[in-house]
Amino acid sequence: MRRDRSIVRPLIAALTGVLVLFWLGAIGLGISVMRSEFDEIFDNALEETTERLLAIVEEGQLPNVQEGEQAHRAPSTPSKKEYLVYQVRGRDGAVVFHSKDAPLEPFDVPLTVGFHDTEKYRFYTAMSADGSLFLQTADRFGQRREAVRESAVTMLIPLAILLPLSFLLMMWITSKAVDPINKLREAISKKGSGNLSPVETETVPRELKPIAQSVNLLLQRVRAAIAAERQFATNSAHELRTPVAGALAQTQRLLAELPDEVMKARARNIEAALLKLGRTSEKLLQLARADAGLGQTAATSDLRQVLDLIVRDYRRSPAIEHRLAYSPAADPLMRAVDVDAFGIVVSNLIENAILHGRPTGIIDVSVNSDGSISISNDCALLSAADLDGLKVRFRRGATSARGAGLGLSIADTIVRQMGGVLELRSPASGRSEGFEARIFLPE
């Protein structure tokens, strides 16, 4: 599965790479400068040492140097390998004296004053005042390279230590930098049909303000479109009520006056169509009220009284009276919801149970111990896919019962506005089949 592209990760990688490159470049430049400076320091030390040794030789403080013909070796010392080695050579090039680590053979450099290089050594040659002696001092290149390496390692150690710390610091700084983006994303994600208020732009960074303003402009257009849609649905429902009721009354009167059974059958079809149109217009009106935020209120009400009233109204119908079982709450059911909205929810759920349950099945309305309200009916077992689609507007299950497919959608919309949850179950609680709608409302 392909991962979403990240802005932070490439940014941190790029910053870390640039930091490492700059640090390595600085170290390389520093090593180059240090190498040049070290060469200068070592050359000065080599020249100064050679001149001082030559002065000692000229003063005769080294044994048998001026007069001896046998090459002498400096006395052994307990120290380790010499840093500098030297030879005192005569005018003919023969070695008359040398340090303990210097070779017996003459150095392979000319007897001329100044610096000379071989593969492993850098030499400096000094000549006595009378030109009879030459002192050549050798400095190993390895010593110089070792000094440069140690300096480079000393500069690389902070990089190894500071690089992880820099990486963590950049992650923290980057997360703080993108925090306004995350906040704006969260604010936009909370927008929906029930919340189309503008996104706050006062504290949004200057770079993100065009995005926030564009979102607000889009929300304004959506609000206008939804408001027009709701207004149309509300007006249509209101406008349809009177003519539908009038046409239904005229149709029912016509049924009573028609002597022909064939004509009466046609009139009954018209009556059924008008009844369906009336119910649909009522559902559309409820849907418009639900979309307008009908369920939101700050006052608390006792929902037990609303349930008692609705159940009593449904029991007035002889066809429903013996099918409707009711288990009222023992204590007041106080909730901060609109009672009219709650009545619409319960009425829709009971009507749904009547229409889609078995004709002789029991419809159970009860208040549970956890404060939830259940409406269940007898019916065949529904699959999880069927349950998921029942809350979609104008979608009906596998049934031939009359209806517009809006009842559960309206109930779910209003319950969500109340801050609650409408849970659909099949089978119903305590049964092997059936359907149950359970309302959970916050206390």
Side-chain angles (χ1 to χ4, degrees):
M1 184 172 129
R2 185 177 179 182
R3 298 178 63 182
D4 294 335
R5 183 180 178 184
S6 172
I7 297 177
V8 176
R9 194 177 296 108
L11 180 61
I12 294 177
L15 291 175
T16 304
V18 170
L19 178 64
V20 172
L21 288 177
F22 273 109
W23 194 295
L24 292 177
I27 291 176
L29 180 61
I31 290 174
S32 176
V33 173
M34 281 192 302
R35 183 172 181 177
S36 176
E37 293 296 325
F38 282 166
D39 286 341
E40 184 177 347
I41 293 172
F42 278 104
D43 285 348
N44 289 337
L46 181 62
E47 181 180 358
E48 184 177 352
T49 301
T50 304
E51 295 291 349
R52 289 185 179 183
L53 286 174
L54 182 61
I56 294 174
V57 171
E58 288 181 331
E59 291 176 1
Q61 297 183 18
L62 294 179
N64 302 322
V65 171
Q66 306 244 9
E67 300 176 358
E69 298 178 358
Q70 181 75 23
H72 292 273
R73 181 172 177 266
S76 298
T77 60
S79 62
K80 297 180 180 179
K81 192 173 183 179
E82 291 181 320
Y83 182 76
L84 297 175
V85 294
Y86 62 89
Q87 289 180 347
V88 179
R89 300 171 62 181
R91 187 178 295 160
D92 58 356
V95 177
V96 297
F97 191 81
H98 63 85
S99 62
K100 66 183 182 68
D101 289 336
L104 297 176
E105 297 79 12
F107 291 137
D108 188 20
V109 290
L111 293 176
T112 56
V113 177
F115 290 98
H116 304 88
D117 294 334
T118 62
E119 184 179 353
K120 295 182 178 180
Y121 292 93
R122 182 166 176 79
F123 295 89
Y124 183 76
T125 303
M127 183 180 65
S128 62
D130 58 2
S132 61
L133 293 176
F134 292 88
L135 197 147
Q136 294 179 320
T137 306
D139 180 16
R140 295 181 182 86
F141 283 122
Q143 303 287 349
R144 303 188 180 198
R145 297 190 186 102
E146 182 180 357
V148 174
R149 283 197 302 270
E150 291 178 354
S151 301
V153 170
T154 304
M155 297 176 66
L156 286 171
I157 289 175
L159 175 62
I161 297 174
L162 294 177
L163 185 60
L165 297 178
S166 301
F167 180 77
L168 296 176
L169 183 60
M170 282 188 291
M171 286 187 62
W172 181 77
I173 293 174
T174 307
S175 64
K176 290 295 183 183
V178 300
D179 189 57
I181 301 178
N182 294 330
K183 290 181 178 179
L184 180 60
R185 175 184 56 80
E186 291 176 2
I188 295 175
S189 66
K190 293 178 181 178
K191 303 304 174 183
S193 60
N195 179 17
L196 294 175
S197 58
V199 175
E200 191 272 328
T201 59
E202 292 297 327
T203 59
V204 175
R206 181 176 65 252
E207 294 79 6
L208 298 179
K209 276 193 175 180
I211 299 176
Q213 291 170 353
S214 299
V215 170
N216 287 337
L217 181 60
L218 177 61
L219 289 175
Q220 181 179 356
R221 294 175 179 173
V222 172
R223 283 197 305 271
I226 292 178
E229 180 183 347
R230 290 173 179 172
Q231 187 68 28
F232 172 77
T234 303
N235 291 339
S236 299
H238 277 295
E239 293 297 328
L240 283 172
R241 274 180 168 180
T242 301
V244 168
L248 183 59
Q250 292 295 329
T251 302
Q252 290 172 347
R253 184 172 180 178
L254 185 62
L255 275 170
E257 295 177 355
L258 284 174
D260 189 357
E261 288 299 326
V262 176
M263 299 300 293
K264 282 187 176 183
R266 293 181 178 179
R268 289 191 186 97
N269 291 335
I270 297 174
E271 180 187 26
L274 291 173
L275 287 172
K276 182 179 178 180
L277 181 58
R279 287 191 298 270
T280 302
S281 62
E282 183 65 27
K283 293 298 181 184
L284 289 174
L285 182 59
Q286 290 181 0
L287 183 62
R289 295 179 68 190
D291 287 340
L294 178 64
Q296 300 170 351
T297 183
T300 58
S301 304
D302 185 5
L303 301 185
R304 181 179 59 176
Q305 298 178 2
V306 181
L307 277 173
D308 294 344
L309 179 61
I310 294 175
V311 171
R312 188 164 54 248
D313 286 343
Y314 273 98
R315 279 180 171 173
R316 289 176 180 173
S317 172
I320 305 299
E321 179 180 3
H322 299 293
R323 293 180 56 197
L324 189 58
Y326 178 45
S327 301
D331 300 317
L333 193 63
M334 305 302 297
R335 296 290 187 272
V337 299
D338 184 86
V339 292
D340 291 334
F342 179 73
I344 292 175
V345 171
V346 175
S347 296
N348 275 281
L349 294 179
I350 294 177
E351 182 180 350
N352 182 79
I354 294 172
L355 290 176
H356 302 290
R358 292 191 176 99
T360 58
I362 298 298
I363 301 166
D364 186 16
V365 180
S366 60
V367 180
N368 304 303
S369 58
D370 59 356
S372 62
I373 303 164
S374 298
I375 295 96
S376 60
N377 60 275
D378 293 331
C379 67
L381 192 65
L382 300 178
S383 65
D386 291 335
L387 290 176
D388 292 338
L390 290 179
K391 294 181 181 180
V392 181
R393 294 179 179 182
F394 300 104
R395 182 180 295 180
R396 305 175 63 208
T399 178
S400 59
R402 56 185 173 85
L406 289 173
L408 290 177
S409 175
I410 293 171
D412 180 62
T413 301
I414 296 177
V415 170
R416 282 190 286 106
Q417 290 174 359
M418 293 174 179
V421 176
L422 176 61
E423 187 177 286
L424 306 182
R425 302 178 180 180
S426 183
S429 300
R431 306 184 192 180
S432 60
E433 57 180 7
F435 173 81
E436 177 183 359
R438 180 169 290 195
I439 307 169
F440 295 90
L441 295 176
E443 297 184 4

